[in-house]
C-alpha cells in the first residue's frame, strides 16, 4: 500500500510541476518574442572580483564557434606569457592578438612610458574597431588605462559609441569610469567574496595566466 500511495503522490507532484512549468514557459516565450532588436553591444566587465578577462575570452570563444573573427588588445598585460594567447593561436588569422602592455603601473614606474604604451594600444584598437571582418573586439584592461588617465576618457567613449554597426566590444578591468558604464549596453560587476591570494596561493598556470 505504501508503494501505491507514494506513486499517487509523485504523480500529483509531477502534474503540478508540469502545469507550473507550462505557465513559466508561456511567460518566457512571450518575453523572448518581445525582444526584436539586434545590435552590436558595448560590454563592460568590471569590479574587484576575478574573472573579468576570463569572461571576455569566453565570449571570444563563442564568437569563434560561429566562424567569426575576433580582435584582442591588451592594454596593461603583455609581459606575462599566457595560456589563452597560445590557445587562441590555434585559430590562426581568425584571432588578431596584440599584447601591448608594458606591465602593471607599479612595475614600470614610468608615467610617460605607460601613457605611450596606452596610446599605442588604443591606436591598434581603433584599427580593429574599423576592420569590417572582425565581429568582436576585446579591450583587455582598458579600464585601468582610463582609471590612470593614460587616455582621454571622453574621446575613448565617443569612439566606442560610434563603432560600426554590428560590432561587439568588451572592455575589462576594475574601476570602470561612470561615463563608460553609462554608455555600455551591458555591465557586469564581478564581486569578490573570497580569493585564494589572501591565503598565500600564488598565481598559477591555467588559472591566472
Amino acid at each position: 500500500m505504501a508503494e501505491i500511495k507514494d506513486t499517487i503522490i509523485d504523480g500529483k507532484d509531477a502534474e503540478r510541476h508540469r502545469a507550473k512549468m507550462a505557465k513559466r514557459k508561456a511567460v518566457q516565450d512571450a518575453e523572448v518574442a518581445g525582444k526584436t532588436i539586434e545590435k552590436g553591444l558595448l560590454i563592460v566587465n568590471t569590479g574587484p572580483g576575478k574573472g573579468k578577462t576570463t569572461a571576455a575570452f569566453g565570449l571570444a570563444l563563442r564568437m569563434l564557434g560561429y566562424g567569426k573573427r575576433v580582435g584582442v588588445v591588451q592594454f596593461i598585460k603583455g609581459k606575462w606569457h599566457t595560456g589563452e594567447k597560445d590557445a587562441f593561436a590555434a585559430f590562426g588569422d581568425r584571432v588578431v592578438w596584440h599584447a601591448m602592455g608594458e606591465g602593471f603601473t607599479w612595475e614600470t614606474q614610468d608615467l610617460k612610458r605607460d601613457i605611450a604604451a596606452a596610446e599605442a594600444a588604443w591606436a591598434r584598437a581603433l584599427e580593429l574597431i574599423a576592420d569590417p571582418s572582425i565581429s568582436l573586439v576585446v579591450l583587455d584592461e582598458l579600464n585601468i588605462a582610463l582609471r590612470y588617465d593614460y587616455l582621454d576618457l571622453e574621446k575613448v567613449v565617443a569612439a566606442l559609441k560610434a563603432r560600426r554597426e554590428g560590432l561587439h566590444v568588451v572592455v575589462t578591468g576594475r574601476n570602470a569610469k561612470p561615463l563608460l558604464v553609462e554608455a555600455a549596453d551591458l555591465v557586469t560587476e564581478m564581486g569578490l567574496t573570497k580569493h585564494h591570494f589572501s591565503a598565500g596561493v600564488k598565481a598559477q598556470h591555467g588559472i591566472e595566466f
Side-chain angles (χ1 to χ4, degrees):
M1 290 293 293
E3 291 181 0
I4 295 175
K5 184 178 180 180
D6 288 344
T7 301
I8 293 173
I9 292 174
D10 288 345
K12 290 180 179 179
D13 287 345
E15 179 57 29
R16 281 195 295 266
H17 179 75
R18 187 203 66 75
K20 182 179 179 180
M21 291 300 104
K23 291 181 180 179
R24 177 66 182 274
K25 183 179 185 306
V27 172
Q28 291 297 117
D29 287 349
E31 184 174 352
V32 170
K35 305 294 190 293
T36 59
I37 300 171
E38 185 171 344
K39 58 172 287 188
L41 300 176
L42 175 56
I43 300 170
V44 175
N45 295 341
T46 190
K50 176 176 168 54
K52 297 177 286 293
T53 296
T54 303
F57 289 153
L59 284 181
L61 185 60
R62 180 174 291 163
M63 193 68 72
L64 289 165
Y66 285 100
K68 307 293 186 178
R69 295 190 75 217
V70 172
V72 177
V73 177
Q74 294 186 299
F75 279 79
I76 303 299
K77 301 167 186 173
K79 294 294 185 181
W80 284 13
H81 181 87
T82 61
E84 57 264 32
K85 183 177 180 180
D86 288 346
F88 281 118
F91 290 93
D93 65 1
R94 289 176 56 206
V95 177
V96 183
W97 190 291
H98 300 289
M100 303 186 69
E102 291 283 352
F104 294 103
T105 55
W106 58 85
E107 293 175 337
T108 61
Q109 301 174 18
D110 187 330
L111 180 59
K112 289 184 178 180
R113 179 177 166 184
D114 289 337
I115 291 175
E119 290 177 343
W122 177 242
R124 193 56 56 88
L126 289 175
E127 292 177 4
L128 296 181
I129 289 171
D131 186 340
S133 72
I134 292 178
S135 298
L136 172 71
V137 175
V138 177
L139 303 179
D140 189 34
E141 303 290 2
L142 173 58
N143 284 334
I144 304 301
L146 294 174
R147 176 188 179 187
Y148 289 108
D149 298 320
Y150 296 161
L151 299 169
D152 186 306
L153 174 63
E154 292 188 359
K155 288 183 179 179
V156 168
V157 172
L160 293 176
K161 290 173 67 175
R163 68 192 180 281
R164 55 191 165 79
E165 185 177 354
L167 176 67
H168 302 290
V169 176
V170 187
V171 177
T172 75
R174 296 186 179 205
N175 303 112
K177 292 284 191 176
L179 188 64
L180 177 60
V181 169
E182 181 182 357
D185 298 289
L186 171 63
V187 179
T188 299
E189 181 88 11
M190 305 288 189
L192 177 58
T193 301
K194 189 174 185 180
H195 203 300
H196 49 279
F197 282 3
S198 62
V201 180
K202 69 178 184 178
Q204 301 176 85
H205 290 102
I207 302 297
E208 277 74 37
F209 60 95

